[in-house]
Amino acid sequence: ALLGDPTAAAKPDWKALVAANQAFLDAYRTGDWEAAAAALARCRDLGPSLEALWALHGKRLAAVRGGPPPEGWQGIHEAETK
């Protein structure tokens, strides 16, 4: 979930960013890589100040993209390092 104070959360731009982030998460978790990439691009457009988060999402997407979801995919990223 994205965080923000109540004033920020009420703004249309913030609501659009939250919706784009949720679209990314939904697409990623279901293995729809193209939709995830499109939603991630929208997130980057709407929330450039959160680039560190978008870069992390992009790295995880790149690791699985290019094929069907791995066997037993549950949409969860397992960290390999601390």
Side-chain angles (χ1 to χ4, degrees):
L2 297 176
L3 301 177
D5 66 33
T7 302
K11 294 181 179 179
D13 290 349
W14 186 255
K15 289 179 180 182
L17 178 58
V18 170
N21 183 63
Q22 190 61 54
F24 168 78
L25 293 173
D26 291 345
Y28 179 83
R29 290 173 180 154
T30 61
D32 186 346
W33 312 139
E34 295 306 313
L40 184 56
R42 179 110 170 102
C43 288
R44 284 185 155 129
D45 288 343
L46 293 168
S49 65
L50 297 172
E51 181 53 34
L53 175 61
W54 311 140
L56 176 63
H57 285 335
K59 183 177 177 182
R60 291 177 178 174
L61 179 59
V64 294
R65 195 172 182 188
E71 184 70 31
W73 174 257
Q74 296 178 351
I76 300 169
H77 173 79
E78 293 184 29
E80 297 177 6
T81 61
K82 283 187 174 185

